[in-house]
């Protein structure tokens, strides 16, 4: 096979640069789109629970359970994703890091609080109905994600927000913190999607609205699951994009 000519190589290079330019989306418009997508996920899970699952209450019934998917999607996916992207904002690349550290930690703490409330809702429902806890893969994965999240937040607080943490410890822990941040988000997506699927299997059973017949509720909830996956994948892609990472030379953790 003949080697490509210089002209063919030049054409290929131009096509590559053109494709790269087409994919070079500015960060802030990307964040606006991502924020809209996240709000859509929250609105859809709320609509699903309100319209098809009977609404919300605190009486231990299935309406108490409905707080669980709303709080989990809001906290463990959308708010957590926002916290993960704080350091990709161009304004964080210069000046003091402390305000952005506080914002990052506060968003993550808010996500954790909502997640704990979501767990309390499902345990309250199970206990009031006599349903066993922690028997499904979804429950194992979800609780494992929350436990990992709590360890991540505590370790990040100790390493990056406490003023007496040594610089060498911050430098050593930073790549671990970044890795587990993306890992927790992916586990959160898997937990939410498996939970949606499990709820549909339990709820859509009779012959007129069986899940396999794909009623309107199933279509709506399946679409919600896909949007959650798209949101999480886009967040992970933004975290992995080199041009959106804060330059290391401008952001030593000890510079306060």
């Amino acid at each position: 096979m003949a080697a490509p000519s210089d002209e063919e190589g030049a054409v290929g290079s131009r096509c590559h640069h053109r494709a790269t330019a087409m994919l070079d989306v500015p960060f802030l418009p990307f964040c606006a789109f991502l924020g809209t997508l996240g709000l859509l996920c929250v609105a859809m899970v709320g609509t699903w629970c309100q319209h098809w699952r009977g609404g919300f209450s605190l009486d231990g019934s299935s309406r108490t359970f409905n707080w669980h998917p709303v709080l989990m999607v809001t906290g463990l996916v959308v708010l957590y994703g926002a916290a993960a992207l704080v350091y990709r904002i161009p304004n964080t690349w210069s000046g003091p890091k402390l305000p952005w550290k506080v914002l990052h930690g506060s968003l993550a703490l808010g996500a954790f609080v909502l997640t704990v409330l979501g767990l309390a809702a499902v345990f309250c429902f199970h206990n009031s109905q006599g349903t066993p806890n922690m028997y499904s893969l979804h429950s194992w994965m979800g609780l494992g994600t929350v436990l990992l999240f709590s360890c991540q937040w505590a370790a990040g607080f100790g390493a990056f927000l406490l003023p007496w943490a040594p610089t060498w410890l911050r430098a050593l822990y930073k790549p671990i913190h970044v890795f587990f941040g993306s890992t927790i988000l992916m586990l959160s997506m898997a937990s939410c999607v498996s939970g949606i699927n499990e709820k549909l299997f339990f709820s859509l059973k009779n012959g007129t609205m069986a899940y396999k017949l794909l009623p309107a509720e199933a279509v709506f909830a399946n679409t919600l699951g896909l949007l959650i996956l798209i949101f999480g994948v886009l967040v992970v892609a933004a975290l992995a994009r080199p041009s959106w990472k804060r330059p290391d030379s401008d952001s030593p953790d000890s510079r306060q």
Side-chain angles (χ1 to χ4, degrees):
M1 181 180 294
S5 64
D6 293 341
E7 182 178 353
E8 291 173 339
V11 171
S13 178
R14 286 197 299 270
C15 291
H16 172 74
H17 289 306
R18 189 175 302 149
T20 303
M22 291 173 63
L23 296 175
D24 190 14
V25 181
F27 178 78
L28 294 181
F30 176 85
C31 276
F33 170 77
L34 203 56
T36 303
L37 183 58
L39 292 176
L40 179 60
C41 290
V42 174
M44 286 186 67
V45 69
T47 301
W48 176 35
C49 293
Q50 179 65 44
H51 181 70
W52 279 287
R53 297 291 102 215
F56 304 91
S57 75
L58 298 175
D59 59 1
S61 67
S62 60
R63 293 184 298 168
T64 299
F65 171 86
N66 289 340
W67 287 107
H68 175 68
V70 172
L71 292 172
M72 288 302 192
V73 170
T74 304
L76 207 54
V77 177
V78 177
L79 201 56
Y80 185 85
L85 289 177
V86 162
Y87 287 117
R88 297 302 186 269
I89 300 174
N91 291 344
T92 67
W93 292 6
S94 61
K97 289 184 65 178
L98 184 58
W100 300 104
K101 286 184 178 183
V102 172
L103 177 60
H104 174 75
S106 299
L107 288 173
L109 181 60
F112 181 72
V113 170
L114 293 181
T115 300
V116 171
L117 293 175
L119 286 179
V122 71
F123 280 118
C124 178
F125 167 70
H126 282 174
N127 293 337
S128 66
Q129 301 296 318
T131 304
N133 292 306
M134 304 303 301
Y135 64 89
S136 66
L137 176 60
H138 163 68
S139 61
W140 294 1
M141 186 162 49
L143 186 60
T145 303
V146 175
L147 292 176
L148 186 59
F149 185 9
S150 62
C151 294
Q152 168 88 340
W153 192 91
F157 179 82
F160 300 120
L161 276 175
L162 295 182
W164 53 79
T167 303
W168 66 265
L169 177 62
R170 295 177 178 180
L172 178 66
Y173 178 63
K174 182 179 178 180
I176 301 174
H177 187 76
V178 172
F179 169 78
F180 277 105
S182 297
T183 300
I184 291 169
L185 181 59
M186 290 187 288
L187 289 174
S188 301
M189 291 188 295
S191 299
C192 288
V193 171
S194 64
I196 291 171
N197 197 243
E198 183 179 285
K199 182 62 175 177
L200 290 174
F201 273 119
F202 285 161
S203 301
L204 304 181
K205 293 180 178 179
N206 61 57
T208 59
M209 55 183 301
Y211 189 18
K212 65 182 179 181
L213 299 178
L214 203 64
E217 180 182 356
V219 174
F220 189 89
N222 286 348
T223 303
L224 168 63
L226 288 177
L227 291 179
I228 290 173
L229 289 176
I230 293 172
F231 177 87
V233 168
L234 289 178
V235 172
V236 173
L239 294 175
R241 184 161 186 167
S243 61
W244 287 351
K245 291 182 180 180
R246 179 184 174 118
D248 290 336
S249 60
D250 295 335
S251 60
D253 289 322
S254 60
R255 182 182 299 173
Q256 297 295 343

